[in-house]
Amino acid sequence: MSLLRQRGQADSGKVGMVELFFDLVFVFAVTQLSHTLLKKLDAQGALQVGQLFMATWWVWIYTVWATNWFDPEKKSVRAALFALLVAGLLMSVSIPRAFTDMGWLFGASILVQQVGRTLAMLAASRGEDAALRCNFVRIALWLGASGALWLAGGLAPPESRMAWWLGALAVDMLGPVMFYFVPGLGRSTLADWNVDGSHMAERCALFVIIALGESLLVTGATFADLAFDPLTVLAFLLAVVGSILMWWLYFDHGLEQGHHRIVHSQTPGRHARNNYTYLHIPIVAGIIVGAVGDELVLSHPHHGSPAALAAIIGGQLLFLCGTAVFKWLAHTRAWPPLSHLLGIALLLVLGVLSTVLHLSPLLATGACVAVLLLVAVWESCVLR
């Protein structure tokens, strides 16, 4: 009996409960990432957490592709997801110490998830289309190469770990762009990436919800431990409104446009790669960095370091840049939305002013929220 999803049915792209259960691991992972960045808020810490985030993202998005091809309602596919869940928990546990004494566990869990999943896909596709199986062989070879680098970096001394893992990330990033070219096997084609667009759009939207949920969790938990005074309440409200506006900017127009584009495309695999596999990276990263900024403004509304201001403004800037390009490609515009371009320009100016004028975290957060509100109102008025 085939384990592949049946295409063309009314509920063929439905996200299963087991997929949502699997995503709970990544709620934990996102929390670990934001707390790790908060504890080491400097250039080196940002680079390290950036690497860890990228590794986490690639594990998750490859699993999304896998469950787009294979039916998670089948018991053997569920069993594979449960095995990935356990490995993902180990990966998440090791995140705060990945650049100290737990690098081996982080690297090993990446290798097990990436290679193990793809080998399981190969086994499950036995008897299916030869081109699809060859596609999985190419992916397995690329992920085997990157997984070996993740493991080697985890076993290497901490001072050289970043270099090994940069190499691993380079392989991960180049694979889809190169169509997993392998000498002797050639490269995959867009026809091999015949994805269910509705499923892909919904799964990535759910990861955005995970990141936004973590942001609200951090905001609420931090606020609960602080004195109930006017400045703290104002900082809390600004953080919550900022999260609401990010939700609005992504879900009010972006999700609908992206979903329509991929579902009605003749080459959904191209949009799944470009719009969802790559362009959601800055969107989700911006939300995570913004959550760190929210905690900082709640804890220290009056005085903030340059790194704190960079997190407060940089998170919104990352999110808005990613959302602008996502909507641009999803809507086939000549340019990214003008509202978003204006918002990006204003945030860049705000970043310069925060350095020159030494703005307080509270004032910087208020200015960021005002920019997001301007972008949201402009977009809603123009598109309605």
Side-chain angles (χ1 to χ4, degrees):
M1 181 173 60
S2 175
L3 297 177
L4 295 178
R5 279 184 182 267
Q6 298 302 309
R7 306 291 193 194
Q9 299 179 1
D11 61 347
S12 60
K14 180 181 177 182
V15 175
M17 290 297 106
V18 68
E19 294 176 87
L20 299 179
F21 182 54
F22 171 79
D23 282 355
L24 293 178
V25 171
F26 291 87
V27 176
F28 179 40
V30 167
T31 301
Q32 292 281 75
L33 289 166
S34 62
H35 288 178
T36 302
L37 179 58
L38 188 63
K39 290 177 181 177
K40 194 173 183 181
L41 197 61
D42 54 27
Q44 184 185 49
L47 286 173
Q48 290 178 351
V49 173
Q51 284 190 317
L52 300 176
F53 163 71
M54 291 292 290
T56 302
W57 171 260
W58 284 111
V59 166
W60 183 82
I61 196 67
Y62 270 110
T63 305
V64 170
W65 280 82
T67 54
N68 195 286
W69 276 312
F70 294 93
D71 186 356
E73 298 304 312
K74 302 292 175 60
K75 288 183 172 57
S76 56
V77 179
R78 284 185 176 182
L81 281 175
F82 292 148
L84 289 171
L85 183 149
V86 174
L89 272 175
L90 293 174
M91 177 193 72
S92 301
V93 166
S94 65
I95 283 174
R97 294 157 59 186
F99 279 91
T100 54
D101 62 329
M102 297 287 279
W104 65 271
L105 180 57
F106 186 83
S109 61
I110 296 289
L111 175 65
V112 167
Q113 290 176 92
Q114 298 290 67
V115 176
R117 181 202 316 105
T118 314
L119 292 179
M121 291 164 64
L122 263 174
S125 62
R126 192 177 309 136
E128 302 290 349
D129 180 67
L132 183 65
R133 283 183 56 78
C134 194
N135 179 47
F136 294 157
V137 170
R138 296 186 191 98
I139 294 174
L141 292 172
W142 275 78
L143 291 184
S146 69
L149 291 172
W150 282 112
L151 179 59
L155 296 173
E159 57 271 16
S160 63
R161 191 163 295 161
M162 186 176 290
W164 281 100
W165 286 355
L166 281 173
L169 279 177
V171 176
D172 285 332
M173 294 288 288
L174 284 173
V177 175
M178 300 292 292
F179 288 89
Y180 302 101
F181 173 77
V182 175
L185 292 178
R187 50 185 266 170
S188 298
T189 66
L190 290 174
D192 299 329
W193 300 349
N194 181 27
V195 301
D196 187 300
S198 182
H199 177 269
M200 180 66 68
E202 185 176 354
R203 292 295 285 121
C204 288
L206 288 171
F207 203 97
V208 173
I209 286 290
I210 287 173
L212 286 171
E214 198 277 335
S215 177
L216 291 174
L217 178 64
V218 167
T219 298
T222 305
F223 180 61
D225 291 334
L226 298 174
F228 203 79
D229 58 63
L231 277 182
T232 304
V233 172
L234 177 58
F236 170 73
L237 291 176
L238 286 174
V240 173
V241 171
S243 295
I244 292 172
L245 288 170
M246 286 193 285
W247 182 94
W248 186 273
L249 287 170
Y250 180 86
F251 285 94
D252 188 51
H253 293 298
L255 176 62
E256 177 185 347
Q257 293 168 0
H259 180 272
H260 183 273
R261 179 72 168 160
I262 192 172
V263 167
H264 293 89
S265 173
Q266 296 298 314
T267 55
R270 184 190 302 278
H271 299 290
R273 181 193 64 180
N274 297 345
N275 295 6
Y276 293 96
T277 300
Y278 285 110
L279 282 182
H280 272 63
I281 292 173
I283 293 173
V284 175
I287 296 172
I288 294 173
V289 176
V292 173
D294 290 342
E295 184 163 353
L296 290 168
V297 73
L298 277 165
S299 303
H300 308 286
H302 298 292
H303 305 288
S305 65
L309 291 172
I312 292 169
I313 301 170
Q316 312 295 349
L317 184 60
L318 265 176
F319 172 81
L320 205 54
C321 286
T323 306
V325 181
F326 173 65
K327 291 179 180 179
W328 177 29
L329 296 183
H331 204 261
T332 62
R333 311 166 189 252
W335 298 94
L338 292 178
S339 57
H340 290 55
L341 292 178
L342 174 63
I344 291 167
L346 290 175
L347 288 176
L348 289 172
V349 171
L350 179 60
V352 174
L353 290 178
S354 69
T355 303
V356 175
L357 302 178
H358 304 290
L359 299 180
S360 70
L362 187 62
L363 184 57
T365 300
C368 286
V369 170
V371 170
L372 292 184
L373 180 60
L374 172 64
V375 174
V377 170
W378 181 350
E379 182 180 51
S380 295
C381 290
V382 169
L383 295 182
R384 297 296 187 199

